[in-house]
Each structure stands twice: as C-alpha cells, then as structure tokens.
Amino acid sequence: MRTLVFATNNAHKAQEVAQILGPEFQIKTLRDIGCTEDIDETAPDLEGNALLKARYVKEKFGLDCFSDDSGLEVSALGGAPGVHTARYAGPGRDAADNNNFLLKNLEGKSDRSAQFRAVFALVEADQELLFEGVCKGRIAMAPQGTGGFGYDPVFIPENYEDTFAILGDDVKNRISHRAIATEKLRAYLNAKD
Ligand code: IMP
C-alpha cells in the first residue's frame, strides 16, 4: 500500500478521491499529519492555489503531497464564480447561501451551461505536476437532492436530468471533475511504479 498526503480538510473530497484511487493507496489528510493551519488560497487561479497548498506541505512536512483546487465556471456569468467558488456569497462559505446566490444571478438568463473544473497539483521531491478534470453540465432551476456537498444540489451533469445531489456517489465518482483528475493522477502514479 502506498501512502499519499492529500492537502485537504474536506472529508467529502478525501472520501471521493480515496474511493477512486482504490485500496492500494492510503490517503492522509492535513488533519492526519497534524497540519492545523488554514493554508490561504491567495493565487489568481485554480492551478496556483493547488500548487500553493501542495508546496506548503512539502516544505513544512517534507512529505510528497497532492492537493486539489476546484471551481464552478458558469458561461452566462463569464466563468464566475471560478476561483471564488467557495466564498461566492460571502466569507461564510455557506453552501446554501452560495447556491441561492448563484440561482439569483442566473434569473432571467436562458444559458445555464456550466462546468466544474478541478486541478490537482502533485509535488514530489524533484518535480511538480498538474492534472486537470472537467465535468460539463448545467445549473438547475432550484436546488434538488440532499447528497454530496457544495454546489451538488444545483449542478446537473451532461447526459443526466438530475443533480449530483440526487445522482449520488456512484455516478459522481465516475464522471466528476475530481474523478477525471484523480484518474489522471492514478495513471501517472501507477506508470511510475
Ligand atoms: P475548493 O477546491 O475546496 O476551494 O472548493 C471550491 C468550491 O467549489 C467549494 O465551494 C466547493 O463546495 C465547490 N466544489 C468543489 N467541488 C465540488 C463538487 O464536487 N460538488 C459541489 N461543489 C464543489
């Protein structure tokens, strides 16, 4: 079994990624390695923020580490909320507030197309690598479902009629932005062994 640090404290994300990577990988979160600091996401894009978190762990703890930064990009809003997805409705990072703010901003707009984008940064002793995953879809007219987290109740992936919050983990872990980026990471790690 191979141990990897995933620079997150989001238990949902850690669980999703661990499920996709499978039993040959043991995933440790920031809490597991005793990293209690809130690593500021101050970069102007997802790539920069992902690198910032993974580099921090590598420098401070000396462990190979990967991190993810993800965002929702909505066409009719010029790609917003993008890098500001977590705090779209304010610093409280409240998922229901974020969803309601998004729905309000889309009122009267006919184009509801959107995509989730995840960028993983892997920082190893001698190199840094980025892996991207995109999941296209559209924003629902109202929140639906109770599963998942964040914007799952308002995001309907392409080729489906229900939100991620209704579709559940089995579907999400096959087609999500994070699933695609995780598969790329897994392919790289397996090829390296
Ligand atoms: P971060 O990558 O933790 O900074 O997350 C950015 C924002 O995107 C947060 O508000 C998350 O809730 C949201 N987000 C990221 N991935 C997903 C997802 O799979 N479903 C719903 N929301 C997500």
Side-chain angles (χ1 to χ4, degrees), residues 13 16 41 68-71 85-86 98 116 149-152 172 177-178:
K13 280 188 184 177
E16 278 181 15
E41 298 183 6
D68 105 307
D69 200 36
S70 39
T85 299
N98 282 339
F116 270 124
F149 69 97
Y151 294 78
D152 281 347
K172 191 174 175 193
H177 48 310
R178 212 163 9 264

Side-chain angles (χ1 to χ4, degrees), residues 29 34 45 51 53 69 74 84 91 95 99 118 130-131 137 149 171 182:
T29 63
D45 51 30
L51 277 168
K53 290 183 274 186
D69 200 36
V74 181
H84 306 294
N99 286 339
L130 294 173
F131 305 89
F149 69 97
V171 173
T182 307

Side-chain angles (χ1 to χ4, degrees), residues 56-153:
Y56 180 89
V57 172
K58 181 75 193 161
E59 277 160 25
K60 189 140 189 236
F61 294 83
L63 300 166
D64 285 0
C65 173
F66 70 96
S67 71
D68 105 307
D69 200 36
S70 39
L72 181 64
E73 299 171 339
V74 181
S75 311
L77 303 175
V83 76
H84 306 294
T85 299
R87 296 182 176 85
Y88 191 36
R93 293 171 151 255
D94 184 83
D97 287 351
N98 282 339
N99 286 339
N100 290 331
F101 189 56
L102 174 64
L103 292 174
K104 193 164 178 305
N105 289 343
L106 279 179
E107 271 171 18
K109 300 204 191 290
S110 54
D111 179 5
R112 300 184 75 88
S113 62
Q115 64 178 31
F116 270 124
R117 195 162 73 87
V119 176
F120 278 25
L122 174 69
V123 175
E124 300 180 302
D126 52 347
Q127 63 176 346
E128 298 179 337
L129 293 167
L130 294 173
F131 305 89
E132 184 191 61
V134 170
C135 179
K136 290 182 183 297
R138 66 181 198 274
I139 304 301
M141 297 304 291
Q144 296 160 25
T146 54
F149 69 97
Y151 294 78
D152 281 347

